[in-house]
Amino acid sequence: MARDEVSLRAAVDQSTAVLAGAGFPRMPARVLMALLVSDRGLTASELGGEIGASAAAISGAVRYLEQLGVVHRVRERGSRRDRFEFSDDAWYRAIVQKSSIYSVIAELSERAADAIDDESHAGVRRLRDTAGFYRFLDGKMPELLAEWDAQRDATVAPSAG
């Protein structure tokens, strides 16, 4: 089947818009989608050309995506240029990296609720709900990640011939 550039561009643009609409910074969303659909990583120059952005914009976007753990740099052989690649297990690593914050948010929410010290106060109810939600996520995340590992292993396992 031939590559459909028009459909690909539409999907990339729509995905970028959805990410931006959900609060993801627009330039990192554009870079993320360009890397996600690339067959191999892209240099900063290639990214700039692909999405029509300045070197400074690309640099900031890549730095943001590296901090999230979804993009990494690979040095090109015999060159001083870096190629940026979307990590194969990017979403998994991003969730694992951020999951440690769930218990911290829960604890801080509980502390704030305790400091108000009035269970009828609307803020206390919201804080206790927030703490409960993040404790729930913290408790479920290991199970979800293990389930994902099993599902991913099952789909990428070579078929017996």
Side-chain angles (χ1 to χ4, degrees), residues 61-108:
V62 166
R63 189 169 39 257
Y64 180 85
L65 295 170
E66 285 177 316
Q67 288 174 347
L68 292 180
V70 296
V71 168
H72 64 274
R73 294 173 190 253
V74 176
R75 179 69 62 169
E76 285 191 327
R77 283 200 151 161
S79 172
R80 293 176 45 199
R81 295 180 354 175
D82 289 328
R83 183 167 295 285
F84 301 99
E85 295 180 352
F86 187 84
S87 304
D88 287 340
D89 60 348
W91 302 124
Y92 179 91
R93 287 192 300 128
I95 292 295
V96 168
Q97 183 179 357
K98 297 296 181 198
S99 68
S100 63
I101 199 168
Y102 299 152
S103 62
V104 173
I105 292 172
E107 177 62 33
L108 292 173

Side-chain angles (χ1 to χ4, degrees), residues 14-160:
Q14 290 168 354
S15 297
T16 298
V18 167
L19 287 169
F24 203 88
R26 184 154 180 74
M27 186 56 65
R30 292 175 68 200
V31 169
L32 174 72
M33 291 310 302
L35 291 172
L36 189 58
V37 302
S38 73
D39 190 35
R40 58 180 181 71
L42 300 170
T43 66
S45 176
E46 290 167 337
L47 277 166
E50 178 76 21
I51 63 176
S54 70
I58 296 298
S59 176
V62 166
R63 189 169 39 257
Y64 180 85
L65 295 170
E66 285 177 316
Q67 288 174 347
L68 292 180
V70 296
V71 168
H72 64 274
R73 294 173 190 253
V74 176
R75 179 69 62 169
E76 285 191 327
R77 283 200 151 161
S79 172
R80 293 176 45 199
R81 295 180 354 175
D82 289 328
R83 183 167 295 285
F84 301 99
E85 295 180 352
F86 187 84
S87 304
D88 287 340
D89 60 348
W91 302 124
Y92 179 91
R93 287 192 300 128
I95 292 295
V96 168
Q97 183 179 357
K98 297 296 181 198
S99 68
S100 63
I101 199 168
Y102 299 152
S103 62
V104 173
I105 292 172
E107 177 62 33
L108 292 173
S109 295
E110 288 288 349
R111 270 201 255 164
D114 291 346
I116 294 173
D117 194 28
D118 178 1
E119 293 301 317
S120 67
H121 189 280
V124 169
R125 287 192 305 272
R126 287 190 300 268
L127 287 162
R128 299 258 188 247
D129 187 56
T130 297
F133 175 72
Y134 280 101
R135 288 195 199 292
F136 174 81
L137 286 180
D138 193 42
K140 288 290 187 180
M141 199 54 64
E143 177 185 336
L144 286 171
L145 293 173
E147 188 176 331
W148 169 247
D149 278 339
Q151 180 178 327
R152 187 174 189 198
D153 288 348
T155 58
V156 297
S159 59

Side-chain angles (χ1 to χ4, degrees), residues 1-15:
M1 178 178 242
R3 183 175 167 125
D4 182 349
E5 291 295 335
V6 173
S7 294
L8 178 59
R9 177 59 45 211
V12 166
D13 290 347
Q14 290 168 354
S15 297

